[in-house]
Amino acid sequence: MTPRTAEAAQVEQANQAFYDAVERSDLDALEELVLTGPLAETVSVVHPGWPVLRGRREVMRSYALIMANTDYIQFFLTDVEVAVEGDTALVTCTENILTGGPAEEEGEMGSLVGGLVVATNVFRRTPEGWRLWVHHGSPVMAGAGEDDENGGNGDEDDAGEGAA
């Protein structure tokens, strides 16, 4: 494995650890993955439908709120691309998200909802390893990017549907 490939693999592991922590609602694990130190106030996140949140404290608060209000979430990552340049790494991916609402009766799982979000995650190399610096998630609208039989982009019939 070349050094560049090894770096990319380490970044991809850090990226997966980020999603694993959110899936498990493990705020302590997420705390370890998010950048600290002199750049802590430059940490930022854009959750789908939210304004940009800046500063490590606000970012961690947002994840605490999401974890407290999400009964079930699972990410299936596709189209993962990693680029490393010096001490910065860029990961782009598609988050295929499955979420569940509250149980309707004791012992029963609530309804499941799927959605697509394209994400950009930026990591910084630290002495402790790669740490998340920026996360930006944008919902994918239903039919976006698909050509219909008339040569259009398929958006005419799909406007307003399927936001994740």
Side-chain angles (χ1 to χ4, degrees), residues 11 14-15 18-19 30 33-36 39-47 51-56 59-60 62-63 87-93 95 118-125 130-138:
V11 171
N15 191 65
F18 161 66
Y19 288 101
L30 191 59
L33 293 167
V34 176
L35 190 63
T36 60
L39 293 175
E41 290 311 306
T42 65
V43 169
S44 67
V45 67
V46 177
H47 300 296
V52 63
L53 301 174
R54 292 182 178 89
R56 187 176 196 282
V59 167
M60 294 309 303
S62 75
Y63 281 107
D87 290 336
T88 305
L90 175 71
V91 179
T92 57
C93 61
E95 302 171 353
V118 291
T120 302
N121 298 320
V122 181
F123 291 84
R124 289 286 295 186
R125 185 194 325 265
W130 291 97
R131 296 296 182 254
L132 184 67
W133 190 8
V134 176
H135 169 74
H136 185 128
S138 296

Side-chain angles (χ1 to χ4, degrees), residues 8-32:
Q10 291 169 357
V11 171
E12 193 165 355
Q13 288 173 346
N15 191 65
Q16 187 61 54
F18 161 66
Y19 288 101
D20 291 346
V22 175
E23 280 184 1
R24 292 188 318 266
S25 293
D26 189 342
L27 198 57
D28 291 335
L30 191 59
E31 286 271 0
E32 290 183 28

Side-chain angles (χ1 to χ4, degrees), residues 104-115:
E104 294 177 15
E105 293 184 27
E106 190 65 34
E108 288 186 24
M109 188 164 56
S111 61
L112 294 175
V113 178

Side-chain angles (χ1 to χ4, degrees), residues 133-157:
W133 190 8
V134 176
H135 169 74
H136 185 128
S138 296
V140 175
M141 303 304 284
E146 296 176 8
D147 289 341
D148 66 16
E149 61 192 39
N150 297 325
N153 65 9
D155 291 343
E156 293 83 8
D157 295 338

